[in-house]
Structure formats: structure tokens, C-alpha cells
Amino acid sequence: MDLALLRTFVTVHRAGSFTRAAALLGLSQPAVTSQIRTLERQLGRPLFLRQARGVTPTSIGDELAHKAAPHLDALVEITETGLDDDSSLRTLHLAGPPEFTAERALPALTELTGEDGQGFALRASFGTAEETLEGLSAGHHDLAISTAQPRGPLLTATALCDEEHVLVAAPRWAEEIGTGQPDRRPEPALEKVPVVEVHESLPFVSRYWASVFDSHPAAPGTVIVPDLRAVLACAAAGAGLAVLPRYLCAPALERGDVVALHEPTVPPLRTYFLVVRTGTLAMPHIARAHEWLQRASADWC
């Protein structure tokens, strides 16, 4: 069986679309379609069901991808690193959310870089959970950190750690609205406070309100910045309230730059997952990084 056909097949399976696979492979869409048809004729079975938007693998297609993808990934790894492991470091491509990756994962993994015979070069990229998992499926990344747990056999996820979310604002807001009083539900007072968030949909604040207050936030977003570190800076400057991971805002809480507006008995949590393409943990540098992050995460929770 032609390895080029298998490579095209796995790319289509991961991308879920002939068009996206063609872009990833640098081929035309008709060429990708022709290769998939050739492979289907060789196997005598359909591999994909064509739909209005993309394609869905058949059971035979899923089975073939599950068997072939790890071996193709290993071959790509050989071509990328070369046959002489002593002449160059393997490269680990990591992807994840910008704040958690920058504050937690990268400092831990830099201990494994270097030319010690077991180290690797490190390349990182940031993105949303959807972007990160799509990139991992397409082979752009080796290891991904995601707040979404993927489905299907091509990606394998391991729970890494939970982060606690805290409702914070500058001290003047706590004084103005009088939060922290016992036996008092704080939502009415909090409606007076502007909101600082990462997106117009208020993902962090809405999740906190639903979990803690069983309601929806009434105030719209006043300041929208696409990075939690910028959210913290704006909240500390008095722009409004924000919901932030405790690991990110703990130093600011200790300094008094921000204060917790509410301390629920059961704080909202969000789980991070460590995700790889199924079978790629057979590659030593990916396995080592995977294990190292799991060990390091014991101190993050």
C-alpha cells in the first residue's frame, strides 16, 4: 500500500475535510479526492461518508486511522529529527492556552531542554482549546494542554490538574459595594460593578455565576482583553471585577492589589487535560515531557 495514500488518508481523517487536508498537505482538493478514491478502491471499502460540511469516517476508516496514524507519525518523527540523534535535538511542539502554558508548563519543561543526550528543543504556540486540538490532530503539535476533553480514538487525554476560579476586583470596589457580609447573597451588589473579561460572551464570569449563584451575570463586559494576565492588570487598576484562576491572581491577592469579592464554600474548578495523538507516547521525547508535566502538576493543584 502506498504510504503517500495513507498519509493523505490520515490527514483527511484528522482534518475532517478534503479542503482542509489539501491545505495542510499542499495539494489541490481534486488530488486529495483522487487519492482517497484510489485507496478506497484498493481496500474495496468506503473510508468516508461525504457530507455537506466535510466528511465523517466510516467504521473501517476509523479502524484504519487508529492502526496507521501512530506509525506514520513515527516515520515523520524520523525524517524531522534525522537518523543521527547525536547531531541534533529532537523538537517537542507544545500547544495550549497562553496563560497556563506560559506560567506553568513552559517553566517546567525548560528543565528538559539542552544537549544532555535526553533533552529536546522546545517550540510552543498558544490558542483556544478548539484550535489546539485541531492542530494536534493535524500533526502540527506533539503535545497539547486543553480545557476540553477530546472525543474519539485518535487523541488520548490525561487529566493534568484543576484550577480554582476566584472572583476579584480592586479593593475600592469591595468597599463600595460592601461584599463579604455574612448571610448576604452578593449578586445584587455585584451588578453595580463593571466586568473585565477575555471575550464578549463573558466565559469566565458566566461560568462562575452559573456555578456559584445559579444565575447569569447582569452587567455587560466593560473591558475585553484576550489574555487573563491583561484581565488581572485591568482589574487591579480598578476597571471592574474579574474571574481568574487562583494560581494567576494569588500574588496580587497577597499584595492587596485585588481582593476576593466572594469566597464560596465550593469554588468553581476547571480541569486541564494533557493530550497526545494516540500512539505517539512511544516517542521518547513526547513520553518524557508528558511524564514530567504530570509530575510537576502535583504542585500546581
Side-chain angles (χ1 to χ4, degrees), residues 8-95:
T8 298
F9 161 73
V10 169
T11 304
V12 172
H13 190 278
R14 287 171 170 168
S17 161
F18 285 175
T19 302
R20 281 180 290 193
L24 292 169
L25 293 166
L27 300 173
S28 67
Q29 183 176 338
V32 170
T33 302
S34 175
Q35 289 187 24
I36 295 300
R37 286 176 176 168
T38 299
L39 186 58
E40 288 178 327
R41 285 197 299 271
Q42 290 180 3
L43 295 173
R45 304 287 291 276
L47 297 172
F48 296 104
L49 300 176
R50 280 68 169 176
Q51 298 180 335
R53 286 183 146 184
V55 294
T56 301
T58 62
S59 59
I60 296 298
D62 272 334
E63 182 180 354
L64 179 60
H66 183 70
K67 291 180 178 179
H71 300 290
L72 286 171
D73 290 335
L75 289 173
V76 170
E77 177 72 8
I78 291 172
T79 61
E80 287 181 349
T81 59
L83 296 176
D84 185 1
D85 288 337
D86 294 331
S87 64
S88 62
L89 293 173
R90 290 176 179 267
T91 300
L92 179 81
H93 295 271
L94 173 72

Side-chain angles (χ1 to χ4, degrees), residues 47-300:
L47 297 172
F48 296 104
L49 300 176
R50 280 68 169 176
Q51 298 180 335
R53 286 183 146 184
V55 294
T56 301
T58 62
S59 59
I60 296 298
D62 272 334
E63 182 180 354
L64 179 60
H66 183 70
K67 291 180 178 179
H71 300 290
L72 286 171
D73 290 335
L75 289 173
V76 170
E77 177 72 8
I78 291 172
T79 61
E80 287 181 349
T81 59
L83 296 176
D84 185 1
D85 288 337
D86 294 331
S87 64
S88 62
L89 293 173
R90 290 176 179 267
T91 300
L92 179 81
H93 295 271
L94 173 72
E99 306 85 2
F100 186 87
T101 305
E103 298 289 331
R104 294 299 202 196
L106 287 176
L109 287 177
T110 52
E111 298 182 40
L112 299 182
T113 60
E115 300 183 17
D116 62 353
Q118 292 183 322
F120 49 73
L122 181 60
R123 302 290 183 269
S125 60
F126 301 145
T128 64
E130 182 179 5
E131 292 167 344
T132 296
L133 294 179
E134 284 185 356
L136 180 65
S137 297
H140 300 316
H141 318 307
D142 301 312
L143 189 62
I145 299 170
S146 172
T147 54
Q149 185 174 12
R151 297 178 179 177
L154 286 185
L155 298 180
T156 301
T158 304
L160 186 61
C161 66
D162 294 326
E163 67 175 15
E164 176 188 343
H165 286 179
V166 188
L167 178 62
V168 302
R172 74 174 183 86
W173 283 112
E175 296 171 2
E176 182 171 330
I177 65 178
T179 60
Q181 298 181 20
D183 301 324
R184 175 178 175 181
R185 290 182 64 83
E187 308 100 295
L190 293 173
E191 292 178 5
K192 304 174 184 178
V193 187
V195 173
V196 186
E197 256 283 13
V198 295
H199 191 270
E200 297 286 355
S201 62
L202 310 184
F204 284 84
V205 172
S206 295
R207 190 182 302 116
Y208 188 98
W209 251 248
S211 175
V212 175
F213 304 133
D214 195 24
S215 63
H216 300 283
T222 300
V223 177
I224 304 296
V225 286
D227 189 294
L228 290 174
R229 292 162 293 193
V231 170
L232 173 58
C234 292
L241 65 80
V243 174
L244 294 165
R246 184 172 289 278
Y247 80 84
L248 191 64
C249 63
L253 287 168
E254 293 176 4
R255 292 191 303 265
D257 297 340
V258 294
V259 297
L261 297 181
H262 185 54
E263 293 282 4
T265 303
V266 181
L269 300 175
R270 184 170 67 163
T271 301
Y272 284 97
F273 296 93
L274 201 53
V275 190
V276 297
R277 291 188 300 280
T278 301
T280 57
L281 285 179
M283 300 178 187
H285 69 304
I286 298 178
R288 191 175 183 210
H290 190 276
E291 181 182 2
W292 194 267
L293 286 175
Q294 285 185 289
R295 290 181 179 178
S297 69
D299 297 326
W300 300 342

